[in-house]
Amino acid sequence: MNLPLHYIARNLWTRRLTTALTAGGMALVVFVFAAVLMLDAGLRRTLVGTGSEDNAILLRQGVQTEIQSGVSRDQAALIESQPTVARNAKAEPMVSKEIVVLIGAPKKGDNKPQNVVVRGLGEVGIALRPQVKLIEGRWFAPGASEIVVGKGVHAGFEGMDVGGSTRFAGRDWRIVGVFDGGASAFDSEAWGDVEQLGQAFRRIGYSSVIARLAERSDFARLKASVESDVRLKLDVKVEPLFYEEQSKALSQFLSILGIALSLIFSLGAVIGAAITMYAAVSNRIGEIGTLRALGFRRAAILWAFLLESVLLALLGGVAGLAAASFLQLFTVSTMNFTSFSQLSFGFHLTPGIATQAMVFAAVMGVVGGFLPSLRAARMEIVDALRAG
Amino acid sequence: MSDTPRSDAAVAGDAALSPPPIVRIRNLSKHYVRGDQAVPVLTDITLDIPEGDFLALMGPSGSGKSTLLNLIAGIDKPSGGELTVGGLNIAQLSEAELADWRAANIGFIFQFYNLMPVLTAFENVELPLMLTDLSRSDRRERVELALSLVGLADRMKHYPNELSGGQQQRVAIARAIITDPTLIVADEPTGDLDKKSAADVLALLQQLNREMGKTIIMVTHDPGAVRAARHVTHLEKGELLGTEVVSGE
Ligand SMILES: Nc1ncnc2c1ncn2[C@@H]1O[C@H](COP(=O)(O)OP(=O)(O)O)[C@@H](O)[C@H]1O
Ligand SMILES: [Mg+2]
C-alpha cells in the first residue's frame, strides 16, 4: 500500500453526499447489530450482578428456577447446620430461607396484568444482598402484611407506590418502601416477610435456600456434603452461575435475533457499498490509468479502493455505534421465559461490543468493496487512459 | 551549448564510439485484437533515439503515435519486433517489474494533464516519490525544487481545479521530472492549451532538454510545437516515414 491515505480520505470527502448515504446504510446495520449485543450484555450484567460468589443457592434437584423449586423446613434446617456455612456476630447461620411466587399486577400504560416475582425473606436474606439499597420508605416489618418493591416494579407497574397497597393471595399488602437492586434482577421483584407470605400462599416449606459460604473455597465441600446426604435431594450452585443459567434462553434468543437482523440488513448495506464503489471506480478510470502508468502496481490500486470502501464502512460503524451508545439511557422490560416474570434491564455497551461492531463494519466494507476494487485493479493501462 | 558532447561524437565521425541509443526499436509491430480480427496499428517500425534527444512524433490522427509512445513507455506490449529502452528489453519484464521500471525511468506528460483532482499541486508532484524510499523531508525538498523549476512555487497548496490549464500542465511536468527519469514521454502536451500556455509549456520542455539533458519524446500534430524539438519523425498509417533535424532554431 503506497498510495497516501489522504488520497483515499479526500475521495470520500469529495463525494460526501454519496459517502454519507452509503455510510448511513452501514450505520443502520451497525446500530442494530450493536443494539442487540448491548441488550444481551445488559441482560447478562443484570442477571449475573444479581448473584454473589459468596452465596450458594440450593434448589430442588432438577429444577431451573426458584418458582418451580421446593425445599422443606427439615432440609433447610440441615443446611443451617452445615459447617461450611458462615455465621453472623450472634453465631446464627447466615442462611436465608425464601419463598418465591408470582403475582399478576397491572403494567403502567396498558394496564395489562404481568407477572411480578414476590420474594419472601427475612433480615438475613436482605443482608446477603448488599447491592440492594432502600431508596424510599422503610423495610417491611416482620409479622406484617407489608411489601417493599424494586424500583423496576415501582416504575413499571400501576399503583406500586409507597403508601399504597396491592391485593394478592386474599390479603391487602401495604407498600412501605422502594429499593434499588443495583441494576440486578431484584429491581423487578417485590419483597415481603417470608412467614407472612408463606401463610398467605399456604406454603409449608420454602422455594429456595441461600447460604453465605464461610469461605468461597468452601463451596466444593458444601456441595459434596449436600450431594452425599440422602435427605437433601437438592442441587447447589454458586449464585452467579445460577443467574447466568436463568438468562441463557433469553440471551440466546437475543443473539439469534440480532445475528439474523444484522445479516439481512447488512445485505442491503453491502450492496449499497458495492454500488457506490463501482460508481467511484467508473468515475476514476482515467486516474487509475494514470496511477498505473506512474508505476503503482495493480495491488496498490486494489488496496486503495478496498481501503476506501473499508474507511467508508468504518465511518458508518462509528456513526452507528455512537447512535447505539445513546440506547444506554433506556431500560427495557421484557418477559424472561425462564422465570415467566418481567425483567427490566438496560443496554450495555462494552469495549468488546464496540470492537465487534467495528469489525463487522469493516467486513461489510471489504465484502462490498471487493468486486469494484478488483475491477479497478484489473483494467489495462492503455484502456483506462483512453476511457478516462 | 549543452549539445557539445553529441557534436563531439559527430565530429569524431566514428559510429562505433557514439553512445548506444536510449531507445532502440527494430521491426516493431503492434496490432489490437477486436473480436476475432487483428487490427494492425504499427508495422515494421525501426527507430533509434539517442540520449539527450528531443524527438517530436507527428502524424495524422489515428496513425499510431500514442500507441508507439505507449510501447516505449512500457504501458503497452508490442506484438512483435525488438524494443530496448536504456539497454533493457522491456517486453520481457513481468508486469510488476515493468511498473517498478516505469516508476524509476519514465516521466509521463498527458494531453489532459491527468492530475489527481483530490491532491494539491504539491501532493500530485510528490505522488511518484511515494514509490521510492525517500524520507518525508527529502521528498518535500525535491517537490519544492521541481515546482519552483516550473514556476509554481507559490501554488503548491492549490488543487488542480484552482489552476489554469497551463499551470496544471506545468504541475504535470514537475511530476514527470520528480524521479529524475531516463525518458520523458509527452502525448500532445499542448493539445488542450491556449497559445500562450502552450508556448510556456514548450519552452519548459525545451529547457529540460537543453539545460538538463533530459531525453524527451513528444507526440504532437501542432507544427508550432515541433519547433521546440531537435528531431521530428512522421508516422502515417502505422509506418514511419523518416526522421529529420528540426531547423531554424
Ligand atoms: N486499445 C485499443 N484497442 C483497439 N484499437 C486501438 C486501441 N488503441 C488504439 N487503437 C487503434 O489504433 C489506432 C492508432 O491509435 P493511436 O495510437 O491512439 O493514434 P494517434 O495517437 O496517432 O491518434 C487507431 O485506429 C485506434 O483506433
Ligand atoms: Mg494519440
Side-chain angles (χ1 to χ4, degrees):
Chain A
M1 180 57 225
N2 30 34
L3 273 164
L5 204 63
H6 57 249
Y7 170 73
I8 291 156
R10 281 189 216 149
N11 273 305
L12 287 175
W13 177 246
T14 302
R15 52 185 159 92
R16 42 195 172 274
L17 183 65
T18 327
T19 297
L21 288 174
T22 315
M26 298 275 187
L28 192 68
V29 180
V30 170
F31 177 81
V32 171
F33 180 77
V36 180
L37 291 184
M38 284 165 67
L39 207 53
D40 190 24
L43 171 70
R44 281 160 185 281
R45 188 176 60 157
T46 296
L47 285 173
V48 174
T50 306
S52 157
E53 292 281 353
D54 296 320
N55 296 344
I57 181 164
L58 294 103
L59 303 175
R60 185 165 73 211
Q61 267 175 4
V63 305
Q64 290 298 313
T65 66
E66 292 177 279
I67 305 281
Q68 299 161 304
S69 170
V71 179
S72 72
R73 285 174 182 262
D74 294 345
Q75 288 172 326
L78 283 170
I79 293 159
E80 286 179 318
S81 66
Q82 294 286 332
T84 44
V85 162
R87 286 171 188 274
N88 64 14
K90 290 179 259 172
E92 297 160 344
M94 294 187 69
V95 169
S96 178
K97 299 165 287 189
E98 305 187 353
I99 286 178
V100 180
V101 290
L102 291 177
I103 60 159
K107 273 213 90 165
K108 261 187 191 152
D110 58 9
N111 250 21
K112 284 209 187 102
Q114 291 277 2
N115 286 336
V116 173
V117 172
V118 176
R119 182 181 297 274
L121 70 178
E123 243 174 81
V124 177
I126 295 172
L128 288 185
R129 277 84 173 208
Q131 78 270 40
V132 176
K133 303 253 163 26
L134 196 69
I135 53 174
E136 201 186 327
R138 57 172 174 81
W139 285 111
F140 51 84
S145 295
E146 293 176 346
I147 57 169
V148 176
V149 296
K151 69 174 186 192
V153 174
H154 171 64
F157 287 84
E158 220 38 86
M160 294 294 188
D161 304 313
V162 176
S165 75
T166 184
R167 189 171 174 81
F168 58 84
R171 286 195 199 174
D172 284 318
W173 301 79
R174 231 169 331 123
I175 299 163
V176 297
V178 177
F179 64 80
D180 180 347
S184 71
F186 296 132
D187 277 330
S188 308
E189 295 186 355
W191 288 4
D193 178 46
V194 63
E195 296 308 328
Q196 291 304 309
L197 284 163
Q199 282 170 25
F201 282 96
R202 298 194 176 79
R203 293 284 185 101
I204 300 154
Y206 302 106
S207 301
S208 59
V209 170
I210 288 92
R212 166 66 48 93
L213 295 162
E215 295 287 340
R216 278 188 191 183
S217 55
D218 285 335
F219 176 75
R221 274 170 61 211
L222 175 67
K223 187 172 158 76
S225 160
V226 168
E227 281 171 355
S228 64
D229 192 329
V230 290
R231 293 164 298 178
L232 294 175
K233 291 191 166 52
L234 301 177
D235 283 336
V236 51
K237 287 174 188 153
V238 283
E239 269 188 343
L241 178 67
F242 169 73
Y243 284 106
E244 198 181 320
E245 285 175 2
Q246 296 275 294
S247 64
K248 226 177 219 161
L250 189 55
S251 171
Q252 264 171 11
F253 170 76
L254 286 174
S255 303
I256 290 169
L257 179 81
I259 289 167
L261 274 180
S262 303
L263 282 182
I264 293 165
F265 279 35
S266 70
L267 203 66
V270 162
I271 291 170
I275 291 171
T276 303
M277 290 311 297
Y278 267 124
V281 171
S282 301
N283 288 334
R284 303 220 300 271
I285 291 179
E287 265 179 61
I288 295 164
T290 306
L291 289 169
R292 292 281 311 284
L294 294 181
F296 289 92
R297 296 185 183 186
R298 287 188 196 273
I301 304 295
L302 183 84
W303 273 115
F305 279 94
L306 211 50
L307 217 61
E308 190 170 313
S309 179
V310 169
L311 200 62
L312 178 66
L314 290 180
L315 281 176
V318 169
L321 212 49
S325 72
F326 285 105
L327 288 174
Q328 294 186 107
L329 303 172
F330 299 96
T331 300
V332 171
S333 182
T334 188
M335 178 77 142
N336 183 8
F337 347 109
T338 315
S339 66
F340 301 104
S341 58
Q342 280 292 303
L343 180 68
S344 57
F345 50 96
F347 292 86
H348 180 49
L349 182 58
T350 65
I353 292 173
T355 310
Q356 283 180 58
M358 293 311 283
V359 169
F360 182 49
V363 168
M364 285 195 289
V366 170
V367 173
F370 186 70
L371 288 179
S373 305
L374 205 59
R375 179 170 171 234
R378 291 178 72 156
M379 277 189 288
E380 294 302 330
I381 304 174
V382 279
D383 295 338
L385 285 172
R386 285 176 148 257
Chain B
M1 359 162 245
S2 60
D3 256 341
T4 328
R6 269 183 68 224
S7 320
D8 284 351
V11 169
D14 190 345
L17 280 182
S18 69
I22 195 115
V23 178
R24 183 172 184 277
I25 300 173
R26 292 291 176 276
N27 313 106
L28 190 73
S29 67
K30 173 72 185 175
H31 56 79
Y32 287 105
V33 182
R34 214 176 276 157
D36 42 40
Q37 235 178 314
V39 185
V41 178
L42 296 173
T43 42
D44 203 27
I45 305 282
T46 292
L47 175 70
D48 281 340
I49 303 171
E51 187 165 8
D53 198 3
F54 185 166
L55 177 70
L57 201 53
M58 283 197 83
S61 205
S63 57
K65 305 181 297 292
S66 296
T67 303
L68 180 56
L69 196 70
N70 292 343
L71 290 174
I72 296 169
I75 56 173
D76 205 353
K77 289 263 171 187
S79 309
E82 288 171 42
L83 167 62
T84 58
V85 182
L88 194 69
N89 182 350
I90 57 168
Q92 279 181 345
L93 297 178
S94 75
E95 199 175 69
E97 287 168 340
L98 201 54
D100 296 348
W101 175 83
R102 282 194 305 271
N105 295 285
I106 305 291
F108 284 91
I109 301 169
F110 303 91
Q111 179 175 0
F112 300 105
Y113 335 124
N114 290 26
L115 299 175
M116 303 296 129
V118 299
L119 298 182
T120 63
F122 181 95
E123 290 161 344
N124 266 291
V125 176
E126 189 187 25
L127 203 52
L129 295 182
M130 302 313 271
L131 292 164
T132 67
D133 33 82
L134 285 180
S135 73
R136 204 188 159 85
S137 59
D138 286 349
R139 293 202 303 264
R140 163 161 288 277
E141 205 173 302
R142 277 221 205 181
V143 173
E144 285 173 354
L145 189 67
L147 276 170
S148 52
L149 194 81
V150 300
L152 290 173
D154 55 340
R155 296 287 147 83
M156 290 201 287
K157 294 214 165 85
H158 289 233
Y159 286 90
N161 64 5
E162 297 164 345
L163 298 170
S164 71
Q167 288 171 327
Q168 288 187 59
Q169 194 61 300
R170 275 145 64 195
V171 173
I173 291 171
R175 180 179 68 184
I177 60 173
I178 193 70
T179 56
D180 194 17
T182 320
L183 196 60
I184 293 171
V185 296
D187 196 342
E188 312 211 16
T190 57
D192 194 48
L193 298 177
D194 59 77
K195 265 212 172 82
K196 167 79 175 69
S197 303
D200 289 348
V201 162
L202 288 168
L204 195 54
L205 290 177
Q206 205 165 23
Q207 186 192 350
L208 291 177
N209 175 249
R210 305 290 146 101
E211 290 171 22
M212 301 172 70
K214 293 282 160 208
T215 310
I216 301 175
I217 309 172
M218 173 178 72
V219 164
T220 186
H221 49 224
D222 170 12
V226 173
R227 259 175 266 137
R230 290 176 189 274
H231 293 97
V232 57
T233 187
H234 293 269
L235 201 62
E236 208 161 310
K237 295 193 183 132
E239 288 183 57
L240 223 46
L241 299 183
T243 306
E244 307 153 19
V245 175
V246 176
S247 54
E249 300 191 349

